[in-house]
Amino acid sequence: MKKLLLGVALSALMSSSAFAAKIGVSMALFDDNFLTVLRNGMIAQAKGMDGVELQVEDAQNDVAKQLDQIKNFAASGVDAIIVNPVDTSATQAMSDAAAAAKIPLVYVNREPVNVDKLPDNQAFVASNEAESGTLETKEACRLLKEAGKKEANVYVIMGELSNQAAVQRTKDIDEVIATPDCSFIKIIDKQTSNWKRDEAQNLMTNWLSSGKAFDGVIANNDESAIGAIQAMKAANIDMKSVVVGGVDATQDALAAMQAGDLDVSVFQDAAGQGAGALDAALKLAKGEKVEHKVYIPFQLVTPANIDKFLKKN
């Protein structure tokens, strides 16, 4: 079953604050803007709660290291574990390790491959990725139409190919472009930047060197969109002549939007996901029932409504 978590995470956490618990948290990577917001939000929530202690570890994008962290958490007797998985296709072993130790586990932000087979004391808290790339691409399509494009060529920058979010967001792009309203858009190339700004900048520089005409860049995340923007500006591309989209609505992305460089982003509530994951972990630690899938909605961000999001991620 799926459950939408709108504004209840904070109140739920307040009701859980009297419960003392030690929670082990394994983050895929500390050096990631969005995940940093998520991690810091979770830490801030825990600090405001009596008796709740977080032990937060950096898996440094290493699957084996992350599995070792989970096993170490279990061995140290934590009350629950929160995991932001490095590789969403490698989560079965993590679930098995937690289940063997009879310790509740909550996946956050990245959907585990075994999400539909999670034990009763495990859950997944994130946003529904079927919305993210869809919102982004529909808005990019609208903007290209508004610019009078009858045919439009775009580049697609993907996230880590081992990550379910990247796979789903790219699928969203393909599905929107396959609709009659947006079928005038053609993808001339798609490659991964592994969610990273510098890799996206290098990728865009290579595409620019090919000399192919293009009308837009649709990226799986804001960091990649910003990298592409940096490459285009270095090549003296007029940013008004291209449509650029991303996902996450990070502060850097919003600054790029205010500067007129980024045209669309999609707000992914990092703090909400962190709060939801912590709430789920505490409930499971107390033996309470939690939905296997808890979704925090995505929201489209454009220059017209950017003011609503400036103080969020």
Side-chain angles (χ1 to χ4, degrees), residues 178-198:
T179 64
D181 281 350
C182 301
S183 60
F184 68 97
I185 301 173
K186 177 184 176 183
I187 297 173
I188 48 179
D189 196 9
K190 61 172 75 167
Q191 292 189 42
T192 181
S193 69
N194 295 305
W195 303 120
K196 296 179 180 179
R197 186 184 301 196
D198 57 345

Side-chain angles (χ1 to χ4, degrees), residues 257 299-310:
M257 185 174 286
Q299 299 175 63
L300 183 68
V301 182
T302 69
N305 69 355
I306 190 174
D307 289 349
K308 291 169 52 180
F309 301 94
L310 290 174

Side-chain angles (χ1 to χ4, degrees), residues 194-205:
N194 295 305
W195 303 120
K196 296 179 180 179
R197 186 184 301 196
D198 57 345
E199 291 191 28
Q201 184 173 3
N202 291 337
L203 176 58
M204 192 73 227
T205 299

Side-chain angles (χ1 to χ4, degrees), residues 231-238:
M232 285 185 275
K233 293 180 81 169
N236 295 316
I237 301 290
D238 181 1

Side-chain angles (χ1 to χ4, degrees), residues 134-175:
T134 300
L135 288 169
E136 173 193 18
T137 311
K138 283 184 175 180
E139 178 64 7
C141 172
R142 187 190 70 79
L143 290 171
L144 289 166
K145 275 187 173 181
E146 191 177 78
K149 302 291 183 181
K150 303 298 183 183
E151 294 182 357
N153 293 324
V154 301
Y155 286 114
V156 172
I157 304 180
M158 301 180 289
E160 291 178 7
L161 300 183
S162 63
N163 193 290
Q164 182 273 343
V167 173
Q168 183 62 54
R169 291 177 190 180
T170 304
K171 181 182 178 185
D172 297 341
I173 295 168
D174 290 335
E175 288 180 348

Side-chain angles (χ1 to χ4, degrees), residues 221-241:
N221 71 324
D222 287 336
E223 282 295 287
S224 298
I226 291 169
I229 288 168
Q230 289 174 334
M232 285 185 275
K233 293 180 81 169
N236 295 316
I237 301 290
D238 181 1
M239 296 309 300
K240 293 180 181 179
S241 70

Side-chain angles (χ1 to χ4, degrees), residues 99-129:
K102 297 182 179 179
I103 295 175
L105 183 148
V106 177
Y107 293 103
V108 63
N109 181 251
R110 298 177 175 181
E111 184 175 304
V113 68
N114 56 319
V115 68
D116 293 321
K117 299 178 181 178
L118 294 176
D120 288 341
N121 69 340
Q122 297 187 16
F124 168 57
V125 178
S127 299
N128 188 350
E129 293 297 350

Side-chain angles (χ1 to χ4, degrees), residues 7 14 30 40 71 80 100 156 161 164 226 244 247 252 277 284:
M14 293 295 288
F30 278 12
N40 288 342
K71 290 178 178 178
V156 172
L161 300 183
Q164 182 273 343
I226 291 169
V244 183
V247 175
D252 285 353
L284 290 172

